[in-house]
Structure formats: C-alpha cells, structure tokens
Amino acid sequence: MKKFFALFYYQFLQSCRVPESIFFTILLSPILFIIFGIAFHIDTEYAEFFLPGIIGSMVCSDALYAVGPVIKKYYSLNIVKYFYNYPVKLPYLFMGFIAARIIFILFSMLLLIAVSYFIFGFSPNIGTLCRYILGIFLIFTIYSFAGLSISLWGLHDNKDQGVIGLYYMLTIFLSDCFFVLTKANVVFDIIGYFFPLRCVLDFIRGSNISLWYCTAWVIALFVGFAYIIKRISFKR
C-alpha cells in the first residue's frame, strides 16, 4: 500500500507540473459552464439538467484522451518492458496514474458545483452528489476501457486518433449532455443508447434502472479490452 501511495503521489506531482493538464482537466469545464450558461440563459431548473451533462462530458474527455493515448505510447515506445523491472507491479503504476486523474476530476466537479450554485442558483443535495461521484467513476471506467481499446487497436499507426475524436463528438451530442436532442427524433433516441454516457447520465439524473445498464457496459468493455491486450501481449 505504501508503494501505491508513493506512485500516486509521484503521478500527482507530475500532473501538477504540466499547466496544460491542470487547465484542461480542472479549469476548462467551469469556464465553459459559465460561458454556455450565460449564452443559453440557464436558470436553476435547467442547471439541474446541464450540470450532470458538463460533468459527464469532462470525465468522458479525460478518460478517452488522457488514459488510452498515454498507455498506447508506453506500448508503442516499448516502455512497458522497463516497468517490469520496477520494484512494484505493473498494475500499480497504471492505478497510480488513474487515481491522480480521478483527484483532478473530483476537484473540477467541486468547482462546477460552486459555479452552478453561485451563478445559476442550483446546488445538488447529498443524494444527488453521491450519484455524481458514482457517475464519475462509472464514466471514467467505461470510457477508459473504450479509449484503451481504440488506442491499442491503432497501436502501430495513428488511425485511432480520428476514431476517438469522432466517438467523443457523437457521444456528447447523442447522450443528452446539454440539451435533449434524442427527443427530437426517435432515431436519435435509439442511437443514443449505443453510447454509455447516455445510461450514466440517466442514472445521475434519477433513473435507478440505468445503473444496471452502466454495469453491463463496464463488463462488456472490460472483456473487449482484455481480449485486445491479450492479443498484444501474445504478439510481443
């Protein structure tokens, strides 16, 4: 456990020393929340819907772009084999990295809630806040597996970059993050459930049954990732 906390502390300090990481992970979402909120004239009622959406989009982006590409680089540059010589197990290295990302995300969530309360007059209660936190872990887990699978699929080239970008944009617009696009057309409504973020946001906004769908997504994407990583390990 001491080794894990030491790795986490090291990863946390490394992230703090990168201004771009702090800006995009912590500050960008609250800034966008203020801009969109003023532009769309968000009131207290709409902020209750909008806040989970912007938290979800932030976590989804961080999981897709900060986890998959980093670990892909470890594999493509053949750095992973050096990790096996470390005095700690390889999973602990990745867990320390992920734990540091989660801390940044939770801090950004607190800033978003502060913006929502002081500017738009909405603050989640304790029950809703617990849904937010569980939703963050679900989104980060689901989209980390998705990002890892896509990135490792494009391990020896850059074909994964365009796929991740397209997948992220479709996820944001078809998961009812900021407005209910899926209710405008039944086709959008059906397609929206092919994106895990839709289920997690439904859970955060009060649908308990959606938690089962979220669990199914975690299992399915973990199995897919395990299959891909096994093939890569076999080739190496």
Side-chain angles (χ1 to χ4, degrees):
M1 187 60 68
K2 289 183 178 179
K3 294 179 180 179
F4 171 75
F5 280 114
L7 286 170
F8 163 73
Y9 182 68
Y10 172 75
Q11 295 281 7
F12 184 78
L13 288 180
Q14 285 291 99
S15 298
C16 289
R17 290 170 182 163
V18 181
E20 294 85 357
S21 176
I22 295 176
F23 176 77
F24 284 105
T25 304
I26 297 180
L27 300 178
L28 181 60
S29 293
I31 292 173
L32 292 178
F33 191 16
I34 295 173
I35 294 173
F36 289 149
I38 295 174
F40 296 153
H41 303 285
I42 292 178
D43 55 12
T44 301
E45 182 178 356
Y46 191 45
E48 184 177 1
F49 174 86
F50 196 91
L51 179 58
I54 199 162
I55 291 175
S57 65
M58 170 193 68
V59 181
C60 178
S61 174
D62 199 85
L64 284 175
Y65 289 102
V67 178
V70 170
I71 296 180
K72 172 192 173 181
K73 185 176 291 186
Y74 289 161
Y75 272 92
S76 62
L77 297 179
N78 212 18
I79 298 175
V80 171
K81 70 176 183 180
Y82 295 105
F83 290 158
Y84 288 105
N85 297 321
Y86 280 27
V88 294
K89 294 182 179 180
L90 182 62
Y92 287 160
L93 290 170
F94 293 146
M95 287 170 60
F97 169 73
I98 291 173
R101 303 307 307 175
I102 289 289
I103 292 298
F104 281 108
I105 289 171
L106 290 175
F107 187 72
S108 183
M109 181 199 71
L110 293 177
L111 289 179
L112 287 168
I113 292 174
V115 169
S116 177
Y117 176 73
F118 288 108
I119 298 181
F120 305 113
F122 169 73
S123 177
N125 56 36
I126 297 298
T128 304
L129 183 61
C130 290
R131 286 180 179 268
Y132 283 6
I133 295 173
L134 179 55
I136 284 174
F137 280 96
L138 285 170
I139 295 170
F140 195 85
T141 301
I142 289 170
Y143 280 94
S144 290
F145 283 139
L148 282 166
S149 299
I150 296 172
S151 295
L152 295 178
W153 167 68
L155 181 62
H156 302 294
D157 50 42
N158 293 321
K159 61 184 178 182
D160 59 301
Q161 295 181 0
V163 174
I164 288 179
L166 178 62
Y167 184 62
Y168 175 70
M169 294 303 297
L170 290 175
T171 295
I172 297 305
F173 285 105
L174 294 174
S175 297
D176 293 343
C177 281
F178 310 125
F179 47 88
V180 190
L181 178 64
T182 57
K183 299 304 179 185
N185 189 296
V186 67
V187 176
F188 289 158
D189 192 24
I190 295 172
I191 295 175
Y193 282 105
F194 285 92
F195 298 93
L197 183 59
R198 172 79 179 276
C199 297
V200 183
L201 289 179
D202 286 347
F203 165 71
I204 293 175
R205 289 165 179 157
S207 174
N208 291 326
I209 195 173
S210 296
L211 183 59
W212 293 102
Y213 295 109
C214 298
T215 304
W217 272 112
V218 171
I219 295 172
L221 288 170
F222 172 76
V223 171
F225 167 70
Y227 173 75
I228 292 174
I229 200 71
K230 183 178 180 181
R231 290 187 61 189
I232 292 175
S233 299
F234 177 78
K235 289 180 180 179
R236 299 177 69 82

